[in-house]
Amino acid sequence: MNVTSIQQDLLEQASVFIRQCYAELGKSEQDLSERLEVIEAEIVLRGHYEHTPEELAHGAKMAWRNSNRCIGRLFWDNLSVIDARHAVTADEMAEAIWRHIGSATNGGKIRPFMTVFPASTVLPAHPPRIWNHQLIRYAGYVLDDGNTIGDPASVSFTSLCRELGWQGAGTPHDILPLVLSIGSNEKKWYDIPKELVLEVPLSHPDIPAFEELGLRWYAVPFVSDMLLEIGGIHYTAAPFNGWYMGTEIGARNLADKDRYNMLPEVARIMGLDTSSNASLWKDKALVELNLAVLHSYKAHGITIVDHHTAAQQFMRFERNERESHREVTGRWSWLVPPLSPATTHIFHQRYEDRIVSPQFFYQNKS
Ligand code: ARG
């Protein structure tokens, strides 16, 4: 039989994945060789193969385990995978996404979930896509005076939503609509049902004025624009969530100059001397802002982890992986927390930033 080099390639990637997956799942040699035969026949006949639900679920977990930028990987084996490979319309995708948001949010006791939509092999011309960076995120609007309302990181996606006909209220915390496409170029947008969006107003345990800043953030980060690759198969829509590490919000989303840029405001209510760098007003404001984030999520019963605990959990992950005879790859600049980095072991260590499959990849944004 005539096998193209593309098929040869896919067969090779499939075989590497299936061997590792089946070994980790404790499958027999017979199960393995039977499965490899079926996959080979499928690839030769149709040019691609389909994962069993079990392979998909374990492959997704492996992709998390291989995510070099993620400090939360200790919990890779606790991922629940929703198989939505049967979805053929945007409406069906939206339904699956609502279920994902509800199950993962779980009233604040957040559970890691991933929903997997059809692979690009099934709809090669127009594979499913979620155009949002995260399922839940705040809009950003540039005003005529050049100032921005809301999240500056969302400005270009917000314009896209408005071109599609969505209208935001123009507050700093407008929840963006979900934008989907599948089977064609047409992008459909959906308002996210309000009852699905859990948010936290931020307050500080001992600075009453903090509440007056009107800060808030959403409970669950659902990254929704990455490509999941398992055994050579590409899933272009596979949104996933964990829970927040406090610094993502307190030391980046609300603090970065090109995000909500709140350090000057926090310093003002704290009465700090902002005229001199050496007063360390930025550092003081950062610490209190981060304390407020952790305090508020905790007070509302929403899962969150501080960066010290997360680093300790990562150390346990590194130990587990050593014991399982797997190498831990990582990207230092992402693993190291943006607050008090040198207080964690990560700062004092090196990580090899090597790409291992299964893996998540960035993909084109439009
Ligand atoms: N850093 C992103 C944010 O602040 C979220 C990325 C995923 N984070 C997570 N804890 N799973 O929104």
Side-chain angles (χ1 to χ4, degrees), residues 64 70-72 133-134 136-137 151 217-218 220-223 240-245 247-249 252-253 259 305 334:
W64 183 3
C70 178
I71 193 176
H133 165 58
Q134 293 180 26
I136 295 176
R137 218 182 190 201
D151 193 342
W217 204 255
Y218 48 88
V220 189
F222 299 94
V223 172
F240 57 83
N241 76 277
W243 49 78
Y244 265 115
M245 177 164 83
T247 54
E248 298 183 85
I249 304 164
R252 301 299 311 278
N253 302 345
R259 297 294 299 285
V305 66
W334 274 62

Side-chain angles (χ1 to χ4, degrees), residues 171-235:
T171 78
H173 303 108
D174 292 352
I175 304 285
L176 287 160
L178 183 63
V179 180
L180 307 174
S181 64
I182 183 169
S184 79
N185 276 332
E186 190 202 353
K187 294 185 170 78
K188 282 193 79 174
W189 66 270
Y190 301 80
D191 272 320
I192 302 185
K194 273 200 170 44
E195 63 276 12
L196 283 178
V197 182
L198 189 57
E199 291 179 275
V200 191
L202 300 188
S203 61
H204 189 283
D206 30 57
I207 307 177
F210 196 95
E211 258 176 87
E212 288 154 29
L213 296 175
L215 296 180
R216 58 200 288 119
W217 204 255
Y218 48 88
V220 189
F222 299 94
V223 172
S224 53
D225 56 356
M226 295 187 85
L227 180 153
L228 165 66
E229 179 271 327
I230 302 174
I233 299 295
H234 294 176
Y235 296 99

Side-chain angles (χ1 to χ4, degrees), residues 299-316:
H300 284 80
I302 294 166
T303 310
I304 193 159
V305 66
D306 67 83
H307 50 295
H308 301 290
T309 305
Q312 286 167 353
Q313 291 168 343
F314 190 70
M315 190 189 266
R316 268 172 63 205

Side-chain angles (χ1 to χ4, degrees), residues 27-305:
K27 301 254 184 205
S28 69
E29 279 300 317
Q30 185 174 351
D31 282 348
L32 172 64
S33 59
E34 281 175 13
R35 181 63 178 135
L36 288 174
E37 265 176 46
V38 170
I39 290 177
E40 173 161 8
E42 234 179 305
I43 292 179
V44 170
L45 191 68
R46 301 193 300 149
H48 56 86
Y49 72 106
E50 217 173 279
H51 292 126
T52 65
E54 196 182 18
E55 291 160 7
L56 182 69
H58 196 69
K61 291 177 174 184
M62 292 166 77
W64 183 3
R65 194 176 71 203
N66 291 333
S67 293
N68 291 354
R69 308 179 195 83
C70 178
I71 193 176
R73 287 182 273 167
L74 176 62
F75 303 102
W76 67 271
D77 206 18
N78 291 353
L79 179 70
S80 299
V81 174
I82 302 172
D83 187 350
R85 289 177 293 171
H86 48 78
V88 290
T89 63
D91 287 5
E92 284 168 356
M93 286 181 73
E95 279 307 317
I97 287 167
W98 307 151
R99 273 200 302 280
H100 179 152
I101 296 178
S103 311
T105 305
N106 191 29
K109 243 189 109 31
I110 299 170
R111 300 180 293 200
F113 267 89
M114 180 184 318
T115 300
V116 183
F117 291 105
S120 63
T121 43
V122 186
L123 298 157
H126 303 287
R129 283 294 301 264
I130 301 170
W131 297 98
N132 309 62
H133 165 58
Q134 293 180 26
L135 299 180
I136 295 176
R137 218 182 190 201
Y138 298 125
Y141 311 90
V142 180
L143 305 178
D144 290 339
D145 64 7
N147 290 325
T148 303
I149 300 266
D151 193 342
S154 295
V155 164
S156 70
F157 181 69
T158 304
S159 328
L160 168 73
C161 294
R162 295 171 91 183
E163 280 163 29
L164 292 174
W166 174 78
Q167 285 182 344
T171 78
H173 303 108
D174 292 352
I175 304 285
L176 287 160
L178 183 63
V179 180
L180 307 174
S181 64
I182 183 169
S184 79
N185 276 332
E186 190 202 353
K187 294 185 170 78
K188 282 193 79 174
W189 66 270
Y190 301 80
D191 272 320
I192 302 185
K194 273 200 170 44
E195 63 276 12
L196 283 178
V197 182
L198 189 57
E199 291 179 275
V200 191
L202 300 188
S203 61
H204 189 283
D206 30 57
I207 307 177
F210 196 95
E211 258 176 87
E212 288 154 29
L213 296 175
L215 296 180
R216 58 200 288 119
W217 204 255
Y218 48 88
V220 189
F222 299 94
V223 172
S224 53
D225 56 356
M226 295 187 85
L227 180 153
L228 165 66
E229 179 271 327
I230 302 174
I233 299 295
H234 294 176
Y235 296 99
T236 48
F240 57 83
N241 76 277
W243 49 78
Y244 265 115
M245 177 164 83
T247 54
E248 298 183 85
I249 304 164
R252 301 299 311 278
N253 302 345
L254 297 180
D256 279 3
K257 272 219 172 94
D258 59 358
R259 297 294 299 285
Y260 279 79
N261 188 25
M262 290 307 297
L263 293 185
E265 291 280 286
V266 173
R268 185 178 53 77
I269 60 157
M270 290 174 65
L272 301 176
D273 168 17
T274 56
S275 69
S276 146
N277 282 330
S279 72
L280 299 189
W281 65 270
K282 285 185 190 169
D283 310 72
K284 288 182 168 177
L286 253 183
V287 169
E288 300 308 332
L289 178 52
N290 278 272
L291 198 59
V293 169
L294 293 170
H295 163 81
S296 310
Y297 275 62
K298 191 127 201 288
H300 284 80
I302 294 166
T303 310
I304 193 159
V305 66

